[in-house]
Structures are given as structure tokens and as C-alpha cells.
Amino acid sequence: MSVSVRIVADAAAVGDAAAELVIAGLGVRDAPVLGVATGSSPLPVYAALERRGPAGRLGLGRAPAPAPGEYVGRPADHPESYRSVVDREVTTRLGLDPSRVAVPDGTAEDLGAACRRYEAALRAAGGVDVQILGIGSNGHIGFNEPGTPADSRTRVAELMPSTRNDNARYFPSLADVPERCITQGIGTILEARSIVLVASGEAKADAVARAVSGTPDPTCPASALQAHPRVTFVLDTAAASLLDPARHGDHALH
Ligand code: F6R
């Protein structure tokens, strides 16, 4: 299997390059399913898709858009819930129908059942055509923290202290950052037909290097993406700074 790497100048260029890949990947079906991510990394991708107007929306309004997770125990209308972030940053920009955005229910009494319902919704939609991903500074994808098996499914997961620290910027204080979330498993993510992972900034360089170099290793969950046939890492030069330029230029890695 191969991981493709594209290296561009900065975060805005990451957005443009990733938007092109998203559009190409969504062109395969009539009502394509776009898996959206939260966090700061994908924001330039949504902005670039919005700038492309109808071409960037590609009939998405007709199809469900799954978010990869949800914090546990926060109401859906909390400003930092996945539901709110997706509504704010993605739904209106891309012309999605908010009622069709599939987010796991982090307030459900039976969280296991909420995870199973979410997986069933993905299957009912015919799977995800393009999954946009960010990467944590510790290599997490979704909220699959280091140590997560590559065949994991949607479930309740604990956020590591470093991830809670990284996300504290979105909350009034560290104490407000949730400790648990529902996340798509790595196995769930790997079922997407294509995956576009975006990263910018030096803080991601180590995780990116571990994800694309060497053999897949659960201590860097994103390295499991090496097993996927159609995954592209779109990186700015800072996020790519620890890759070997001779091996990891703007071409597919084998
Ligand atoms: C999944 C998710 C995380 C982020 C990751 C990077 O929806 O939110 O996996 O992609 O924590 O976050 P940023 O992009 O804010 O650095």
C-alpha cells in the first residue's frame, strides 16, 4: 500500500490542494458522502470548497455528512460540541442539510447503543466517499489515541492529557475540556473510499513523520493509514519538515 504526500507552502495552500482531492473523490457517486473533521486544520479546506461554489459542493446537500465523533456529556448545542462546530464551520458553507449531518449522540443514556446507531447510519449511507482528517500532535486520528488497535470501531474513548491540553484553547479552561468522547474507530475510518489528511505547522511534524515513515505502529494511530489504498497527506512545509525530502517529496510513497 502507499501513502501519497503533497507538500505545499502554507495552511491556505493545504486547503486548496485538499479541496481539489475532495472534489475529485466526491465525483464518484451521485449523492456522495463527505466525512468531515473538526479542529483547526480542516478549516482552510472548507473555506477552499466554499470558494469553489457549486463545484465545491458537488450535490452534498442530498447526502449525509458524518462527523467523526462527539464529546460525551456535553449538550449538542454546547458551542464546542462537534455538532455545533460542524454546523458553524461546515454545514452552511457547503450547503449541507443540517438534519442529515450524522453526529454520534454523546448525551445518550446508552452510549454503546449510540455508537452502534452511528455505525449503522454510516452503512445506510453507503459508506464514506471522502474522509477529511486532521492529526493530533501525538498521532491521533479522530480521537483514537496512541495504543488504539487498527481494527477498532466507533466507541467511547478517553482523551489523553496531551490532547486535552491541545484542545484547551477552545474551552474557557482545561477543566472544561471533556475527558471522554465517542469516536469513529480506526477500522471505521479505514472503510472510507478515500482519505485526505491535512496538517500544517511544526507542532505536527513529529506525528506526520511517524505516520508516514516506518511500519504501522499503534503508538502512532495515524500510521494505520498506510494500510489504506487511497490516502493523501496534504502538508505545509512546516508539518513536512521532519520527512526525508529525498523519500517524501511531492509524490507517492511506497
Ligand atoms: C477529529 C478531531 C481531531 C483533530 C486533531 C487535530 O474530528 O477533531 O482528530 O483533527 O486533534 O486538531 P487540530 O486540527 O485542531 O490541530
Side-chain angles (χ1 to χ4, degrees), residues 34-39 42-43 46 64-70 76 78-98 100-104:
L34 174 64
V36 296
T38 56
L43 297 179
Y46 305 135
E70 183 57 283
H78 184 286
E80 289 310 325
S81 72
Y82 276 57
R83 164 70 67 189
S84 298
V85 172
V86 171
D87 280 353
R88 196 164 62 229
E89 305 289 356
V90 194
T91 308
T92 40
R93 288 184 149 187
L94 301 190
L96 304 176
D97 174 351
R100 308 202 70 185
V101 176
V103 185

PDB file of all heavy atoms in Angstrom, residues 34-39 42-43 46 64-70 76 78-98 100-104:
ATOM      1  N   LEU A  34     -19.453  12.904   2.349  1.00  0.00           N
ATOM      2  CA  LEU A  34     -18.201  13.521   2.800  1.00  0.00           C
ATOM      3  C   LEU A  34     -18.099  13.371   4.312  1.00  0.00           C
ATOM      4  O   LEU A  34     -18.976  13.826   5.046  1.00  0.00           O
ATOM      5  CB  LEU A  34     -18.198  15.013   2.423  1.00  0.00           C
ATOM      6  CG  LEU A  34     -17.013  15.837   2.947  1.00  0.00           C
ATOM      7  CD1 LEU A  34     -15.705  15.355   2.333  1.00  0.00           C
ATOM      8  CD2 LEU A  34     -17.223  17.322   2.647  1.00  0.00           C
ATOM      9  N   GLY A  35     -17.050  12.732   4.780  1.00  0.00           N
ATOM     10  CA  GLY A  35     -16.799  12.648   6.221  1.00  0.00           C
ATOM     11  C   GLY A  35     -16.035  13.884   6.650  1.00  0.00           C
ATOM     12  O   GLY A  35     -14.946  14.145   6.137  1.00  0.00           O
ATOM     13  N   VAL A  36     -16.624  14.674   7.535  1.00  0.00           N
ATOM     14  CA  VAL A  36     -15.986  15.939   7.909  1.00  0.00           C
ATOM     15  C   VAL A  36     -15.222  15.781   9.220  1.00  0.00           C
ATOM     16  O   VAL A  36     -15.529  14.903  10.020  1.00  0.00           O
ATOM     17  CB  VAL A  36     -17.033  17.076   8.021  1.00  0.00           C
ATOM     18  CG1 VAL A  36     -17.657  17.337   6.668  1.00  0.00           C
ATOM     19  CG2 VAL A  36     -18.118  16.746   9.047  1.00  0.00           C
ATOM     20  N   ALA A  37     -14.235  16.620   9.410  1.00  0.00           N
ATOM     21  CA  ALA A  37     -13.468  16.606  10.657  1.00  0.00           C
ATOM     22  C   ALA A  37     -13.623  17.961  11.335  1.00  0.00           C
ATOM     23  O   ALA A  37     -13.949  18.956  10.683  1.00  0.00           O
ATOM     24  CB  ALA A  37     -11.997  16.346  10.364  1.00  0.00           C
ATOM     25  N   THR A  38     -13.393  17.981  12.629  1.00  0.00           N
ATOM     26  CA  THR A  38     -13.389  19.260  13.342  1.00  0.00           C
ATOM     27  C   THR A  38     -11.936  19.653  13.609  1.00  0.00           C
ATOM     28  O   THR A  38     -11.023  19.094  13.026  1.00  0.00           O
ATOM     29  CB  THR A  38     -14.190  19.149  14.653  1.00  0.00           C
ATOM     30  OG1 THR A  38     -13.637  18.090  15.425  1.00  0.00           O
ATOM     31  CG2 THR A  38     -15.646  18.869  14.375  1.00  0.00           C
ATOM     32  N   GLY A  39     -11.719  20.599  14.500  1.00  0.00           N
ATOM     33  CA  GLY A  39     -10.364  21.076  14.767  1.00  0.00           C
ATOM     34  C   GLY A  39     -10.008  22.191  13.797  1.00  0.00           C
ATOM     35  O   GLY A  39     -10.781  22.533  12.890  1.00  0.00           O
ATOM     36  N   PRO A  42      -8.741  21.462   9.275  1.00  0.00           N
ATOM     37  CA  PRO A  42      -9.558  21.408   8.060  1.00  0.00           C
ATOM     38  C   PRO A  42     -10.244  22.733   7.683  1.00  0.00           C
ATOM     39  O   PRO A  42     -10.829  22.817   6.605  1.00  0.00           O
ATOM     40  CB  PRO A  42     -10.646  20.359   8.379  1.00  0.00           C
ATOM     41  CG  PRO A  42     -10.322  19.811   9.710  1.00  0.00           C
ATOM     42  CD  PRO A  42      -9.389  20.744  10.383  1.00  0.00           C
ATOM     43  N   LEU A  43     -10.138  23.761   8.537  1.00  0.00           N
ATOM     44  CA  LEU A  43     -10.879  24.989   8.227  1.00  0.00           C
ATOM     45  C   LEU A  43     -10.515  25.572   6.859  1.00  0.00           C
ATOM     46  O   LEU A  43     -11.417  25.965   6.094  1.00  0.00           O
ATOM     47  CB  LEU A  43     -10.685  26.036   9.348  1.00  0.00           C
ATOM     48  CG  LEU A  43     -11.231  25.614  10.721  1.00  0.00           C
ATOM     49  CD1 LEU A  43     -10.970  26.710  11.764  1.00  0.00           C
ATOM     50  CD2 LEU A  43     -12.727  25.290  10.649  1.00  0.00           C
ATOM     51  N   TYR A  46     -12.491  23.744   4.141  1.00  0.00           N
ATOM     52  CA  TYR A  46     -13.899  24.162   3.980  1.00  0.00           C
ATOM     53  C   TYR A  46     -13.963  25.513   3.286  1.00  0.00           C
ATOM     54  O   TYR A  46     -14.825  25.747   2.439  1.00  0.00           O
ATOM     55  CB  TYR A  46     -14.607  24.203   5.341  1.00  0.00           C
ATOM     56  CG  TYR A  46     -14.510  22.887   6.086  1.00  0.00           C
ATOM     57  CD1 TYR A  46     -14.187  22.839   7.440  1.00  0.00           C
ATOM     58  CD2 TYR A  46     -14.708  21.676   5.421  1.00  0.00           C
ATOM     59  CE1 TYR A  46     -14.070  21.626   8.104  1.00  0.00           C
ATOM     60  CE2 TYR A  46     -14.592  20.468   6.080  1.00  0.00           C
ATOM     61  CZ  TYR A  46     -14.271  20.442   7.420  1.00  0.00           C
ATOM     62  OH  TYR A  46     -14.148  19.251   8.070  1.00  0.00           O
ATOM     63  N   PRO A  64     -25.873  12.453   3.489  1.00  0.00           N
ATOM     64  CA  PRO A  64     -25.457  12.675   4.868  1.00  0.00           C
ATOM     65  C   PRO A  64     -23.971  12.999   4.959  1.00  0.00           C
ATOM     66  O   PRO A  64     -23.193  12.573   4.114  1.00  0.00           O
ATOM     67  CB  PRO A  64     -25.742  11.339   5.560  1.00  0.00           C
ATOM     68  CG  PRO A  64     -26.163  10.399   4.515  1.00  0.00           C
ATOM     69  CD  PRO A  64     -26.159  11.064   3.185  1.00  0.00           C
ATOM     70  N   ALA A  65     -23.582  13.772   5.949  1.00  0.00           N
ATOM     71  CA  ALA A  65     -22.171  14.077   6.187  1.00  0.00           C
ATOM     72  C   ALA A  65     -21.850  13.661   7.612  1.00  0.00           C
ATOM     73  O   ALA A  65     -22.292  14.304   8.549  1.00  0.00           O
ATOM     74  CB  ALA A  65     -21.914  15.561   5.989  1.00  0.00           C
ATOM     75  N   PRO A  66     -21.135  12.593   7.794  1.00  0.00           N
ATOM     76  CA  PRO A  66     -20.821  12.167   9.152  1.00  0.00           C
ATOM     77  C   PRO A  66     -19.668  12.957   9.770  1.00  0.00           C
ATOM     78  O   PRO A  66     -18.659  13.198   9.109  1.00  0.00           O
ATOM     79  CB  PRO A  66     -20.442  10.692   8.990  1.00  0.00           C
ATOM     80  CG  PRO A  66     -20.095  10.516   7.567  1.00  0.00           C
ATOM     81  CD  PRO A  66     -20.693  11.646   6.770  1.00  0.00           C
ATOM     82  N   ALA A  67     -19.830  13.384  11.006  1.00  0.00           N
ATOM     83  CA  ALA A  67     -18.714  13.906  11.797  1.00  0.00           C
ATOM     84  C   ALA A  67     -18.095  12.715  12.512  1.00  0.00           C
ATOM     85  O   ALA A  67     -18.791  11.748  12.812  1.00  0.00           O
ATOM     86  CB  ALA A  67     -19.216  14.934  12.789  1.00  0.00           C
ATOM     87  N   PRO A  68     -16.795  12.763  12.773  1.00  0.00           N
ATOM     88  CA  PRO A  68     -16.137  11.546  13.273  1.00  0.00           C
ATOM     89  C   PRO A  68     -16.352  11.262  14.745  1.00  0.00           C
ATOM     90  O   PRO A  68     -15.896  10.246  15.245  1.00  0.00           O
ATOM     91  CB  PRO A  68     -14.656  11.829  13.012  1.00  0.00           C
ATOM     92  CG  PRO A  68     -14.548  13.308  13.085  1.00  0.00           C
ATOM     93  CD  PRO A  68     -15.839  13.855  12.561  1.00  0.00           C
ATOM     94  N   GLY A  69     -17.042  12.129  15.456  1.00  0.00           N
ATOM     95  CA  GLY A  69     -17.217  11.841  16.876  1.00  0.00           C
ATOM     96  C   GLY A  69     -18.066  12.887  17.566  1.00  0.00           C
ATOM     97  O   GLY A  69     -18.692  13.727  16.906  1.00  0.00           O
ATOM     98  N   GLU A  70     -18.090  12.783  18.876  1.00  0.00           N
ATOM     99  CA  GLU A  70     -18.774  13.782  19.698  1.00  0.00           C
ATOM    100  C   GLU A  70     -18.290  13.650  21.129  1.00  0.00           C
ATOM    101  O   GLU A  70     -17.985  12.533  21.587  1.00  0.00           O
ATOM    102  CB  GLU A  70     -20.297  13.578  19.638  1.00  0.00           C
ATOM    103  CG  GLU A  70     -21.107  14.611  20.399  1.00  0.00           C
ATOM    104  CD  GLU A  70     -20.848  16.067  19.956  1.00  0.00           C
ATOM    105  OE1 GLU A  70     -19.800  16.613  20.350  1.00  0.00           O
ATOM    106  OE2 GLU A  70     -21.680  16.631  19.234  1.00  0.00           O
ATOM    107  N   ALA A  76     -25.693  18.912  22.819  1.00  0.00           N
ATOM    108  CA  ALA A  76     -25.381  19.109  21.396  1.00  0.00           C
ATOM    109  C   ALA A  76     -25.228  20.586  21.056  1.00  0.00           C
ATOM    110  O   ALA A  76     -24.503  20.948  20.130  1.00  0.00           O
ATOM    111  CB  ALA A  76     -26.459  18.461  20.538  1.00  0.00           C
ATOM    112  N   HIS A  78     -23.804  22.835  22.947  1.00  0.00           N
ATOM    113  CA  HIS A  78     -22.593  23.429  23.528  1.00  0.00           C
ATOM    114  C   HIS A  78     -21.760  23.993  22.376  1.00  0.00           C
ATOM    115  O   HIS A  78     -21.622  23.341  21.334  1.00  0.00           O
ATOM    116  CB  HIS A  78     -21.810  22.338  24.278  1.00  0.00           C
ATOM    117  CG  HIS A  78     -20.599  22.857  25.001  1.00  0.00           C
ATOM    118  ND1 HIS A  78     -19.443  23.221  24.344  1.00  0.00           N
ATOM    119  CD2 HIS A  78     -20.367  23.081  26.316  1.00  0.00           C
ATOM    120  CE1 HIS A  78     -18.553  23.640  25.241  1.00  0.00           C
ATOM    121  NE2 HIS A  78     -19.084  23.561  26.444  1.00  0.00           N
ATOM    122  N   PRO A  79     -21.194  25.210  22.530  1.00  0.00           N
ATOM    123  CA  PRO A  79     -20.503  25.817  21.368  1.00  0.00           C
ATOM    124  C   PRO A  79     -19.350  24.994  20.830  1.00  0.00           C
ATOM    125  O   PRO A  79     -18.983  25.127  19.662  1.00  0.00           O
ATOM    126  CB  PRO A  79     -20.011  27.175  21.901  1.00  0.00           C
ATOM    127  CG  PRO A  79     -20.282  27.192  23.364  1.00  0.00           C
ATOM    128  CD  PRO A  79     -21.268  26.108  23.680  1.00  0.00           C
ATOM    129  N   GLU A  80     -18.754  24.126  21.655  1.00  0.00           N
ATOM    130  CA  GLU A  80     -17.623  23.331  21.158  1.00  0.00           C
ATOM    131  C   GLU A  80     -17.997  21.873  20.887  1.00  0.00           C
ATOM    132  O   GLU A  80     -17.116  21.047  20.625  1.00  0.00           O
ATOM    133  CB  GLU A  80     -16.433  23.410  22.124  1.00  0.00           C
ATOM    134  CG  GLU A  80     -15.761  24.764  22.126  1.00  0.00           C
ATOM    135  CD  GLU A  80     -15.417  25.289  20.727  1.00  0.00           C
ATOM    136  OE1 GLU A  80     -15.064  24.486  19.842  1.00  0.00           O
ATOM    137  OE2 GLU A  80     -15.539  26.509  20.518  1.00  0.00           O
ATOM    138  N   SER A  81     -19.292  21.533  20.969  1.00  0.00           N
ATOM    139  CA  SER A  81     -19.670  20.166  20.585  1.00  0.00           C
ATOM    140  C   SER A  81     -19.362  19.989  19.099  1.00  0.00           C
ATOM    141  O   SER A  81     -19.300  20.961  18.337  1.00  0.00           O
ATOM    142  CB  SER A  81     -21.166  19.928  20.836  1.00  0.00           C
ATOM    143  OG  SER A  81     -21.926  20.637  19.877  1.00  0.00           O
ATOM    144  N   TYR A  82     -19.126  18.756  18.688  1.00  0.00           N
ATOM    145  CA  TYR A  82     -18.882  18.507  17.264  1.00  0.00           C
ATOM    146  C   TYR A  82     -20.073  19.008  16.450  1.00  0.00           C
ATOM    147  O   TYR A  82     -19.918  19.567  15.376  1.00  0.00           O
ATOM    148  CB  TYR A  82     -18.706  17.010  17.020  1.00  0.00           C
ATOM    149  CG  TYR A  82     -17.317  16.491  17.257  1.00  0.00           C
ATOM    150  CD1 TYR A  82     -16.687  16.657  18.470  1.00  0.00           C
ATOM    151  CD2 TYR A  82     -16.635  15.819  16.247  1.00  0.00           C
ATOM    152  CE1 TYR A  82     -15.412  16.167  18.684  1.00  0.00           C
ATOM    153  CE2 TYR A  82     -15.364  15.314  16.454  1.00  0.00           C
ATOM    154  CZ  TYR A  82     -14.761  15.494  17.665  1.00  0.00           C
ATOM    155  OH  TYR A  82     -13.503  15.006  17.878  1.00  0.00           O
ATOM    156  N   ARG A  83     -21.277  18.749  16.976  1.00  0.00           N
ATOM    157  CA  ARG A  83     -22.491  19.175  16.269  1.00  0.00           C
ATOM    158  C   ARG A  83     -22.429  20.679  15.997  1.00  0.00           C
ATOM    159  O   ARG A  83     -22.640  21.130  14.875  1.00  0.00           O
ATOM    160  CB  ARG A  83     -23.714  18.798  17.108  1.00  0.00           C
ATOM    161  CG  ARG A  83     -24.993  19.478  16.734  1.00  0.00           C
ATOM    162  CD  ARG A  83     -25.554  19.031  15.408  1.00  0.00           C
ATOM    163  NE  ARG A  83     -25.982  17.652  15.430  1.00  0.00           N
ATOM    164  CZ  ARG A  83     -26.351  16.959  14.326  1.00  0.00           C
ATOM    165  NH1 ARG A  83     -26.322  17.535  13.143  1.00  0.00           N
ATOM    166  NH2 ARG A  83     -26.729  15.709  14.415  1.00  0.00           N
ATOM    167  N   SER A  84     -22.122  21.475  17.036  1.00  0.00           N
ATOM    168  CA  SER A  84     -22.100  22.934  16.858  1.00  0.00           C
ATOM    169  C   SER A  84     -20.976  23.347  15.915  1.00  0.00           C
ATOM    170  O   SER A  84     -21.169  24.213  15.055  1.00  0.00           O
ATOM    171  CB  SER A  84     -21.878  23.649  18.197  1.00  0.00           C
ATOM    172  OG  SER A  84     -22.909  23.366  19.073  1.00  0.00           O
ATOM    173  N   VAL A  85     -19.796  22.741  16.076  1.00  0.00           N
ATOM    174  CA  VAL A  85     -18.660  23.142  15.239  1.00  0.00           C
ATOM    175  C   VAL A  85     -18.956  22.827  13.776  1.00  0.00           C
ATOM    176  O   VAL A  85     -18.726  23.649  12.884  1.00  0.00           O
ATOM    177  CB  VAL A  85     -17.353  22.451  15.709  1.00  0.00           C
ATOM    178  CG1 VAL A  85     -16.220  22.703  14.734  1.00  0.00           C
ATOM    179  CG2 VAL A  85     -16.972  22.933  17.106  1.00  0.00           C
ATOM    180  N   VAL A  86     -19.523  21.645  13.530  1.00  0.00           N
ATOM    181  CA  VAL A  86     -19.818  21.280  12.136  1.00  0.00           C
ATOM    182  C   VAL A  86     -20.889  22.211  11.575  1.00  0.00           C
ATOM    183  O   VAL A  86     -20.785  22.694  10.441  1.00  0.00           O
ATOM    184  CB  VAL A  86     -20.228  19.797  12.024  1.00  0.00           C
ATOM    185  CG1 VAL A  86     -20.750  19.472  10.629  1.00  0.00           C
ATOM    186  CG2 VAL A  86     -19.039  18.902  12.348  1.00  0.00           C
ATOM    187  N   ASP A  87     -21.916  22.504  12.384  1.00  0.00           N
ATOM    188  CA  ASP A  87     -22.955  23.432  11.906  1.00  0.00           C
ATOM    189  C   ASP A  87     -22.335  24.792  11.558  1.00  0.00           C
ATOM    190  O   ASP A  87     -22.627  25.379  10.525  1.00  0.00           O
ATOM    191  CB  ASP A  87     -24.042  23.633  12.966  1.00  0.00           C
ATOM    192  CG  ASP A  87     -25.036  22.467  12.961  1.00  0.00           C
ATOM    193  OD1 ASP A  87     -24.936  21.608  12.055  1.00  0.00           O
ATOM    194  OD2 ASP A  87     -25.886  22.410  13.865  1.00  0.00           O
ATOM    195  N   ARG A  88     -21.444  25.256  12.445  1.00  0.00           N
ATOM    196  CA  ARG A  88     -20.879  26.600  12.296  1.00  0.00           C
ATOM    197  C   ARG A  88     -19.883  26.664  11.128  1.00  0.00           C
ATOM    198  O   ARG A  88     -19.899  27.603  10.338  1.00  0.00           O
ATOM    199  CB  ARG A  88     -20.161  26.943  13.603  1.00  0.00           C
ATOM    200  CG  ARG A  88     -19.833  28.399  13.800  1.00  0.00           C
ATOM    201  CD  ARG A  88     -19.490  28.670  15.261  1.00  0.00           C
ATOM    202  NE  ARG A  88     -18.323  27.943  15.741  1.00  0.00           N
ATOM    203  CZ  ARG A  88     -18.288  27.236  16.886  1.00  0.00           C
ATOM    204  NH1 ARG A  88     -19.360  27.149  17.642  1.00  0.00           N
ATOM    205  NH2 ARG A  88     -17.188  26.622  17.254  1.00  0.00           N
ATOM    206  N   GLU A  89     -18.999  25.653  11.048  1.00  0.00           N
ATOM    207  CA  GLU A  89     -17.873  25.756  10.114  1.00  0.00           C
ATOM    208  C   GLU A  89     -18.120  25.075   8.766  1.00  0.00           C
ATOM    209  O   GLU A  89     -17.448  25.389   7.797  1.00  0.00           O
ATOM    210  CB  GLU A  89     -16.602  25.123  10.727  1.00  0.00           C
ATOM    211  CG  GLU A  89     -16.204  25.682  12.076  1.00  0.00           C
ATOM    212  CD  GLU A  89     -15.664  27.108  11.981  1.00  0.00           C
ATOM    213  OE1 GLU A  89     -15.527  27.637  10.866  1.00  0.00           O
ATOM    214  OE2 GLU A  89     -15.406  27.685  13.056  1.00  0.00           O
ATOM    215  N   VAL A  90     -19.052  24.119   8.745  1.00  0.00           N
ATOM    216  CA  VAL A  90     -19.156  23.304   7.528  1.00  0.00           C
ATOM    217  C   VAL A  90     -20.541  23.378   6.883  1.00  0.00           C
ATOM    218  O   VAL A  90     -20.658  23.634   5.684  1.00  0.00           O
ATOM    219  CB  VAL A  90     -18.839  21.813   7.827  1.00  0.00           C
ATOM    220  CG1 VAL A  90     -18.622  21.048   6.532  1.00  0.00           C
ATOM    221  CG2 VAL A  90     -17.634  21.663   8.737  1.00  0.00           C
ATOM    222  N   THR A  91     -21.586  23.153   7.678  1.00  0.00           N
ATOM    223  CA  THR A  91     -22.920  22.938   7.111  1.00  0.00           C
ATOM    224  C   THR A  91     -23.366  24.081   6.209  1.00  0.00           C
ATOM    225  O   THR A  91     -23.727  23.862   5.051  1.00  0.00           O
ATOM    226  CB  THR A  91     -23.945  22.753   8.256  1.00  0.00           C
ATOM    227  OG1 THR A  91     -23.453  21.749   9.123  1.00  0.00           O
ATOM    228  CG2 THR A  91     -25.293  22.347   7.722  1.00  0.00           C
ATOM    229  N   THR A  92     -23.293  25.288   6.732  1.00  0.00           N
ATOM    230  CA  THR A  92     -23.794  26.395   5.931  1.00  0.00           C
ATOM    231  C   THR A  92     -22.859  26.670   4.754  1.00  0.00           C
ATOM    232  O   THR A  92     -23.310  26.908   3.634  1.00  0.00           O
ATOM    233  CB  THR A  92     -23.943  27.674   6.782  1.00  0.00           C
ATOM    234  OG1 THR A  92     -22.821  27.758   7.657  1.00  0.00           O
ATOM    235  CG2 THR A  92     -25.212  27.634   7.606  1.00  0.00           C
ATOM    236  N   ARG A  93     -21.547  26.570   5.013  1.00  0.00           N
ATOM    237  CA  ARG A  93     -20.572  26.846   3.936  1.00  0.00           C
ATOM    238  C   ARG A  93     -20.750  25.915   2.746  1.00  0.00           C
ATOM    239  O   ARG A  93     -20.608  26.319   1.603  1.00  0.00           O
ATOM    240  CB  ARG A  93     -19.152  26.664   4.465  1.00  0.00           C
ATOM    241  CG  ARG A  93     -18.752  27.761   5.400  1.00  0.00           C
ATOM    242  CD  ARG A  93     -17.338  27.584   5.817  1.00  0.00           C
ATOM    243  NE  ARG A  93     -16.777  28.894   6.060  1.00  0.00           N
ATOM    244  CZ  ARG A  93     -15.495  29.116   6.321  1.00  0.00           C
ATOM    245  NH1 ARG A  93     -14.654  28.129   6.361  1.00  0.00           N
ATOM    246  NH2 ARG A  93     -15.076  30.316   6.527  1.00  0.00           N
ATOM    247  N   LEU A  94     -21.018  24.645   3.037  1.00  0.00           N
ATOM    248  CA  LEU A  94     -21.062  23.672   1.940  1.00  0.00           C
ATOM    249  C   LEU A  94     -22.488  23.317   1.530  1.00  0.00           C
ATOM    250  O   LEU A  94     -22.695  22.414   0.718  1.00  0.00           O
ATOM    251  CB  LEU A  94     -20.297  22.398   2.332  1.00  0.00           C
ATOM    252  CG  LEU A  94     -18.826  22.597   2.691  1.00  0.00           C
ATOM    253  CD1 LEU A  94     -18.118  21.266   2.810  1.00  0.00           C
ATOM    254  CD2 LEU A  94     -18.111  23.473   1.661  1.00  0.00           C
ATOM    255  N   GLY A  95     -23.454  24.026   2.092  1.00  0.00           N
ATOM    256  CA  GLY A  95     -24.834  23.795   1.676  1.00  0.00           C
ATOM    257  C   GLY A  95     -25.356  22.430   2.091  1.00  0.00           C
ATOM    258  O   GLY A  95     -26.151  21.808   1.387  1.00  0.00           O
ATOM    259  N   LEU A  96     -24.892  21.936   3.251  1.00  0.00           N
ATOM    260  CA  LEU A  96     -25.387  20.641   3.728  1.00  0.00           C
ATOM    261  C   LEU A  96     -26.713  20.836   4.446  1.00  0.00           C
ATOM    262  O   LEU A  96     -26.971  21.891   5.020  1.00  0.00           O
ATOM    263  CB  LEU A  96     -24.396  20.013   4.702  1.00  0.00           C
ATOM    264  CG  LEU A  96     -22.965  19.805   4.210  1.00  0.00           C
ATOM    265  CD1 LEU A  96     -22.092  19.262   5.334  1.00  0.00           C
ATOM    266  CD2 LEU A  96     -22.955  18.853   3.035  1.00  0.00           C
ATOM    267  N   ASP A  97     -27.506  19.802   4.442  1.00  0.00           N
ATOM    268  CA  ASP A  97     -28.754  19.830   5.193  1.00  0.00           C
ATOM    269  C   ASP A  97     -28.405  19.439   6.636  1.00  0.00           C
ATOM    270  O   ASP A  97     -27.983  18.298   6.882  1.00  0.00           O
ATOM    271  CB  ASP A  97     -29.718  18.816   4.563  1.00  0.00           C
ATOM    272  CG  ASP A  97     -30.994  18.659   5.364  1.00  0.00           C
ATOM    273  OD1 ASP A  97     -31.068  19.202   6.479  1.00  0.00           O
ATOM    274  OD2 ASP A  97     -31.906  17.973   4.865  1.00  0.00           O
ATOM    275  N   PRO A  98     -28.574  20.383   7.618  1.00  0.00           N
ATOM    276  CA  PRO A  98     -28.132  20.089   8.991  1.00  0.00           C
ATOM    277  C   PRO A  98     -28.766  18.821   9.553  1.00  0.00           C
ATOM    278  O   PRO A  98     -28.142  18.098  10.331  1.00  0.00           O
ATOM    279  CB  PRO A  98     -28.573  21.305   9.805  1.00  0.00           C
ATOM    280  CG  PRO A  98     -29.062  22.319   8.834  1.00  0.00           C
ATOM    281  CD  PRO A  98     -29.182  21.692   7.475  1.00  0.00           C
ATOM    282  N   ARG A 100     -29.161  16.171   8.120  1.00  0.00           N
ATOM    283  CA  ARG A 100     -28.519  14.972   7.567  1.00  0.00           C
ATOM    284  C   ARG A 100     -27.067  14.832   8.012  1.00  0.00           C
ATOM    285  O   ARG A 100     -26.371  13.930   7.582  1.00  0.00           O
ATOM    286  CB  ARG A 100     -28.609  14.988   6.041  1.00  0.00           C
ATOM    287  CG  ARG A 100     -30.035  15.211   5.568  1.00  0.00           C
ATOM    288  CD  ARG A 100     -30.232  14.720   4.188  1.00  0.00           C
ATOM    289  NE  ARG A 100     -30.196  13.265   4.154  1.00  0.00           N
ATOM    290  CZ  ARG A 100     -30.255  12.534   3.052  1.00  0.00           C
ATOM    291  NH1 ARG A 100     -30.336  13.139   1.892  1.00  0.00           N
ATOM    292  NH2 ARG A 100     -30.231  11.224   3.093  1.00  0.00           N
ATOM    293  N   VAL A 101     -26.605  15.777   8.846  1.00  0.00           N
ATOM    294  CA  VAL A 101     -25.244  15.639   9.367  1.00  0.00           C
ATOM    295  C   VAL A 101     -25.290  14.624  10.510  1.00  0.00           C
ATOM    296  O   VAL A 101     -25.980  14.825  11.503  1.00  0.00           O
ATOM    297  CB  VAL A 101     -24.691  16.996   9.851  1.00  0.00           C
ATOM    298  CG1 VAL A 101     -23.322  16.816  10.483  1.00  0.00           C
ATOM    299  CG2 VAL A 101     -24.614  17.975   8.683  1.00  0.00           C
ATOM    300  N   ALA A 102     -24.590  13.524  10.329  1.00  0.00           N
ATOM    301  CA  ALA A 102     -24.645  12.435  11.312  1.00  0.00           C
ATOM    302  C   ALA A 102     -23.554  12.626  12.365  1.00  0.00           C
ATOM    303  O   ALA A 102     -22.368  12.611  12.045  1.00  0.00           O
ATOM    304  CB  ALA A 102     -24.445  11.098  10.603  1.00  0.00           C
ATOM    305  N   VAL A 103     -23.975  12.876  13.585  1.00  0.00           N
ATOM    306  CA  VAL A 103     -23.034  13.031  14.702  1.00  0.00           C
ATOM    307  C   VAL A 103     -23.468  12.041  15.778  1.00  0.00           C
ATOM    308  O   VAL A 103     -24.658  11.958  16.098  1.00  0.00           O
ATOM    309  CB  VAL A 103     -23.078  14.475  15.274  1.00  0.00           C
ATOM    310  CG1 VAL A 103     -22.011  14.653  16.349  1.00  0.00           C
ATOM    311  CG2 VAL A 103     -22.899  15.500  14.171  1.00  0.00           C
ATOM    312  N   PRO A 104     -22.545  11.266  16.353  1.00  0.00           N
ATOM    313  CA  PRO A 104     -22.947  10.360  17.429  1.00  0.00           C
ATOM    314  C   PRO A 104     -23.557  11.149  18.593  1.00  0.00           C
ATOM    315  O   PRO A 104     -23.183  12.303  18.821  1.00  0.00           O
ATOM    316  CB  PRO A 104     -21.627   9.702  17.858  1.00  0.00           C
ATOM    317  CG  PRO A 104     -20.636  10.013  16.806  1.00  0.00           C
ATOM    318  CD  PRO A 104     -21.098  11.227  16.069  1.00  0.00           C
TER     319      PRO A 104
END
